[in-house]
Amino acid sequence: MLDPSGLVFRPLLHDDIGSATDLLMLGSPSGVRYHLAVQLAAAEAGERGCAFVAEWEGSIVGSALLSDDPLLPGLVSTLVAVAEPARKSGVGSALADLLGEQLQHEALPAYCKLPDDQFEGRRFAERRGFVLCGHSLGWSLDLTARDGTLERAAREAARSADVRIRQADMRKELDTVLECALRCMPGMPSEQHVAPEKARKYLPDDAIVLLAEREVPGQGQGPRAIGLTALSPRIETAAWYTLFTGVAPAHRRSGVARALKTESFLRARHARAQSVVTHNHDTNDAIIGLNTSFGMQPAPGYWDLRQPRPA
């Protein structure tokens, strides 16, 4: 344990972003570094949210972030992380107090997502007034075991669903992707929906975004995007994470999600991924059944905790 008398707590500076991101990744369920780096940069620039660090002898040993999530625009996200040598020395509590002061001025309720194998983190959040509101299951697929079968499986899945799967050009089709995502949100668990003005920075530059297109009778405008999936590399070597998969309600249970996910496995493997990881709310029986049918194996999930606003 370090000597707490040497600790300095202060707002995040630009030069701290890399170290702060590394620390906060300890509590990131997705393992996608990009999102935290973007949120920290926005906080440091005064654009939205706020961030603090704990410094000891010139090193960042703790970090705290209050920000927003483009998929949960009715909430503000919070996250606190402390380096192992600095734990049990009051760093986490002091950083949480700083966030708590900021939350007093927030009109929206706060939430945090914590990996479900970090029990001490959950207990810490619950002591701070957060309550468990949901749980998402983790899934992992070994792509190396499917070499030689993915291309055929992707073709057959697309043919069976009567869709064309193609990769979106995000430089030209961002509005198309966001519009499709909005149509895919109704009926999804966890209160997810998209805030378009904030979602433009949600997808990393190295993300693969796939659209499922189908001719829609009576529209006469050619194929329309009826579903999408997006995935991005995780911090681990050769592991990718599925950021989102959705299908418009009128086209669900027709094989579109299977076609999207199968093609995403193929594209990830072409990008040298060895595995794909995803999370799904534990009430989403349809996607859980689909994951099981792919032979995906259980992996760490995450808890969704909320801090109710005072009445």
Side-chain angles (χ1 to χ4, degrees), residues 24 26-29 78-81 111-126 130 132 134-136 279 300-305:
L24 292 176
L26 297 173
S28 169
T78 62
L79 187 58
V80 175
Y111 83 97
C112 62
K113 294 178 181 179
L114 295 175
D116 62 9
D117 57 357
Q118 295 185 9
F119 294 97
E120 183 55 39
R122 174 177 168 179
R123 286 191 288 268
F124 178 86
E126 289 175 336
F130 284 80
L132 183 65
H135 180 235
S136 288
H279 291 110
Y302 66 84
W303 292 301
D304 179 359
L305 297 106

Side-chain angles (χ1 to χ4, degrees), residues 13-308:
L13 301 177
H14 182 77
D15 289 345
D16 302 326
I17 291 176
S19 298
T21 302
D22 290 340
L23 276 175
L24 292 176
M25 284 300 298
L26 297 173
S28 169
S30 73
V32 178
R33 179 184 173 89
Y34 170 85
H35 292 143
L36 287 173
V38 168
Q39 290 173 316
L40 286 168
E44 187 276 330
E47 296 174 0
R48 63 181 185 274
C50 60
F52 302 94
V53 296
E55 184 177 352
W56 186 74
E57 294 188 350
S59 297
I60 303 301
V61 296
S63 180
L65 171 67
L66 187 153
S67 188
D68 55 18
D69 186 331
L71 296 185
L72 291 167
L75 301 167
V76 291
S77 65
T78 62
L79 187 58
V80 175
V82 179
E84 182 67 38
R87 293 175 186 170
K88 308 295 185 183
S89 60
V91 173
S93 295
L95 288 169
D97 287 342
L98 291 171
L99 292 188
E101 293 174 7
Q102 298 298 316
L103 285 172
Q104 293 178 10
H105 306 290
E106 280 287 342
L108 299 175
Y111 83 97
C112 62
K113 294 178 181 179
L114 295 175
D116 62 9
D117 57 357
Q118 295 185 9
F119 294 97
E120 183 55 39
R122 174 177 168 179
R123 286 191 288 268
F124 178 86
E126 289 175 336
R127 290 195 297 269
R128 292 276 161 175
F130 284 80
V131 296
L132 183 65
C133 289
H135 180 235
S136 288
L137 304 174
W139 301 92
S140 178
L141 182 68
D142 180 2
L143 297 177
T144 63
R146 286 158 176 78
D147 283 342
T149 66
L150 286 174
E151 290 197 21
R152 179 179 177 184
R155 287 196 304 268
E156 291 180 350
R159 182 166 55 248
S160 177
D162 189 27
V163 292
R164 180 182 72 162
I165 309 294
R166 67 173 181 86
Q167 185 168 346
D169 184 344
M170 297 303 292
R171 295 169 301 176
K172 301 177 181 178
E173 297 185 286
L174 180 58
D175 289 339
T176 298
V177 169
L178 292 178
E179 188 271 337
C180 180
L182 282 169
R183 288 189 288 106
C184 292
M185 287 296 183
M188 296 187 74
S190 299
E191 310 164 62
Q192 285 189 335
H193 59 290
V194 174
E197 70 280 3
K198 297 178 181 178
R200 296 178 184 276
K201 292 184 178 180
Y202 180 74
L203 295 171
D205 291 339
D206 54 4
I208 293 175
V209 180
L210 301 177
L211 295 172
E213 296 179 330
R214 177 186 285 168
E215 294 282 353
V216 179
Q219 292 203 348
Q221 298 178 350
R224 187 184 189 194
I226 60 170
L228 70 89
T229 191
L231 66 167
S232 175
R234 286 168 58 107
I235 54 172
E236 303 100 321
T237 302
W240 283 55
Y241 182 75
T242 300
L243 300 164
F244 176 82
T245 300
V247 178
H251 301 276
R252 290 173 186 167
R253 299 190 181 277
S254 63
V256 179
R258 177 178 293 277
L260 280 165
K261 289 181 77 72
T262 307
E263 181 69 24
S264 75
F265 299 154
L266 175 63
R267 299 294 181 106
R269 187 63 180 136
H270 284 168
R272 302 183 183 231
Q274 295 183 10
S275 63
V276 170
V277 178
T278 190
H279 291 110
N280 301 110
H281 198 277
D282 62 7
T283 62
N284 194 340
D285 293 336
I287 200 70
I288 290 172
L290 181 60
N291 289 342
T292 303
S293 74
F294 282 125
M296 301 187 83
Q297 298 299 307
Y302 66 84
W303 292 301
D304 179 359
L305 297 106
R306 308 287 174 91
Q307 187 181 61

